[in-house]
Amino acid sequence: MATHRIGIMTGGGDAPGLNAVIRAVVKYAVGELHWQVVGIEDAFNGLLEHPRRLQDLTPKSCKGLLPQGGTILGTTNKGDPFAWPDGNGGVRDRSAELAEAIREEGLEGIISIGGDGSQAIGWRLMQEQGVPIVGVPKTIDNDLAATDFTFGFWSAVEVATEALDRLHTTADAHDRVMLLEVMGRTAGWIALYAGVAGGADVITLPEIDYDPERICAKIQQRKDRGRNFTLIVVAEGSTPATGEALPSARRHGRGHIVAGGAAQTLAQHITERLHVETRVTVLGHLQRGGSPVPFDRVLATRFGVRAVELIEQGRWGRMVRLRDGMITDVPLAEVARDPRIVSLDHPLFDAARKVGIEFGAAL
Ligand code: F6P
């Protein structure tokens, strides 16, 4: 006989490893502990729509999930129950309705797999509507302060690094300046790690406004040394110190700013100043799709198991996290702080500068 019946949902942008968390939760909670686990489709939408969209999850229904990208439950970044689109351009609060639906379905609480926005919603639901929540952090951006790494990040870095390796050979063959724009929103983690792993000559970060002149000087210096090509990683949120706005910055989902045109903006500066050939590659959602790398599969599995352990212990209102190699947990109340961005005293930033990578600023 089932001793617990819990819901599980994925919210916000997807990240490789979401299915691995779902699989771990189901294998442990259903397969070993004989609980019931109900998958809620498209974040909380599955509970707020009529008819409801729910799936009974079993180890059998999770077969083959570990390497699968995306999420079998679907996700959305437009599903805030406190600010639900009313169809007339406004929003309304449906959180009480959601709490009622959770009670009607006999769910004791919810495992919410999501980024900063989803964790903040989870905490608010618990406080204001008494819905028990355990959080599992995900995002390719790796910008949650409460955990050392989110799953999905290393898969994104892998894709960006492979792209750099490929750009390297063609840049060299054609004596071109190649710019690769990577994701990360307001944090430069993907740009920094992929830039170091892929041997970039220049990295621009959202954390540091860059001076195009310094970057042009770096390209010129390489030319003077007989290196006729340059590889540049541009974080999508990075902007020039010259002050112009990115051409296509826009809002998405819950009001986050999504940049657009960061690499194109820098390429234009370089072409105008140096009259060299530049080419821009925007990697986009290739960084989010596809199979998780082993690190992300392992982290996702450990997170899923820990989430179930927290519920076993009755410790709702917490988020699992990785700290110094250990899986621990933290109160949800502490999670929704400022995003973790690259700090200038980060050891990798220091190492990057020591191997000659230019960040476009006097540091
Ligand atoms: O937060 C993850 C992320 O992929 C960011 O790196 C990126 O800025 C944003 O989501 C893209 O959002 P969307 O999928 O809505 O275009």
Side-chain angles (χ1 to χ4, degrees):
M1 193 183 121
T3 49
H4 291 273
R5 178 175 162 83
I6 57 170
I8 185 167
M9 50 80 87
T10 50
D14 69 336
L18 286 170
N19 281 326
V21 179
I22 296 168
R23 169 186 175 272
V25 165
V26 171
K27 277 182 89 81
Y28 184 32
V30 182
E32 300 297 320
L33 302 174
H34 310 294
W35 300 1
Q36 290 174 359
V37 176
V38 177
I40 305 160
E41 295 182 13
D42 292 338
F44 288 120
N45 296 27
L47 277 167
L48 285 171
E49 286 171 10
H50 305 286
R52 291 179 186 145
R53 290 184 291 117
L54 306 170
Q55 305 175 15
D56 280 330
L57 297 174
T58 62
K60 196 170 173 199
S61 66
C62 292
K63 255 172 82 179
L65 268 195
L66 188 58
Q68 246 183 60
T71 159
I72 54 162
L73 296 177
T75 188
T76 174
N77 49 26
K78 298 188 184 71
D80 182 352
F82 292 95
W84 196 265
D86 64 5
N88 298 315
V91 291
R92 66 192 172 101
D93 184 350
R94 295 188 66 189
S95 59
E97 221 180 304
L98 175 64
E100 186 51 33
I102 289 168
R103 278 187 283 274
E104 277 175 16
E105 294 296 336
L107 300 174
E108 184 184 336
I110 308 286
I111 295 179
S112 168
I113 315 171
D116 52 355
S118 304
Q119 302 306 336
I121 290 169
W123 176 231
R124 206 171 153 197
L125 267 177
M126 187 148 174
Q127 275 183 307
E128 295 182 19
Q129 298 294 344
V131 176
I133 301 281
V134 160
V136 176
K138 70 82 222 186
T139 163
I140 63 162
D141 303 337
N142 201 35
D143 61 350
L144 262 79
T147 182
D148 290 347
F149 285 107
T150 47
F151 63 84
F153 171 68
W154 284 105
S155 302
V157 169
E158 168 102 1
V159 172
T161 303
E162 191 196 335
L164 279 170
D165 288 346
R166 288 175 184 275
L167 289 174
H168 199 143
T169 55
T170 174
D172 193 0
H174 283 268
D175 292 346
R176 281 172 171 161
V177 175
M178 288 288 193
L179 297 96
L180 177 70
E181 183 175 305
V182 299
M183 281 185 166
R185 229 167 39 174
T186 54
W189 295 109
I190 298 175
L192 180 62
Y193 275 83
V196 170
D201 307 298
V202 177
I203 301 174
T204 69
L205 301 174
E207 292 84 355
I208 305 168
D209 286 347
Y210 65 83
D211 174 2
E213 284 300 317
R214 280 188 69 100
I215 294 174
C216 290
K218 173 78 178 181
I219 296 167
Q220 190 58 51
Q221 184 198 73
R222 282 176 56 76
K223 259 178 158 321
D224 296 344
R225 291 180 185 158
R227 309 293 282 155
N228 290 325
F229 73 95
T230 295
L231 214 48
I232 304 181
V233 177
V234 180
E236 63 176 349
S238 56
T239 46
T242 41
E244 75 249 42
L246 296 182
S248 52
R250 63 190 162 85
R251 286 186 177 275
H252 88 118
R254 302 188 187 112
H256 293 138
I257 297 287
V258 177
Q264 197 55 52
T265 301
L266 175 55
Q268 213 164 313
H269 276 287
I270 295 168
T271 315
E272 280 167 15
R273 171 82 170 71
L274 295 178
H275 309 291
V276 291
E277 265 200 302
T278 58
R279 291 289 187 273
V280 168
T281 302
V282 179
L283 205 46
H285 292 79
L286 290 173
Q287 292 156 99
R288 285 221 321 241
S291 191
V293 297
F295 181 92
D296 287 337
R297 296 183 196 190
V298 171
L299 185 60
T301 301
R302 293 175 80 192
F303 277 175
V305 168
R306 180 67 170 206
V308 175
E309 284 171 353
L310 283 175
I311 298 170
E312 259 187 302
Q313 296 158 7
R315 296 171 68 221
W316 294 95
R318 303 187 73 82
M319 187 188 80
V320 303
R321 60 131 162 221
L322 179 72
R323 196 51 109 217
D324 302 326
M326 306 289 288
I327 304 295
T328 61
D329 48 82
V330 61
L332 271 175
E334 288 174 24
V335 170
R337 287 184 311 215
D338 291 339
R340 187 168 67 98
I341 57 173
V342 177
S343 65
L344 300 193
D345 58 3
H346 190 275
L348 184 59
F349 184 67
D350 182 53
R353 288 175 60 210
K354 287 179 175 153
V355 296
I357 297 176
E358 172 63 49
F359 286 89
L363 298 163

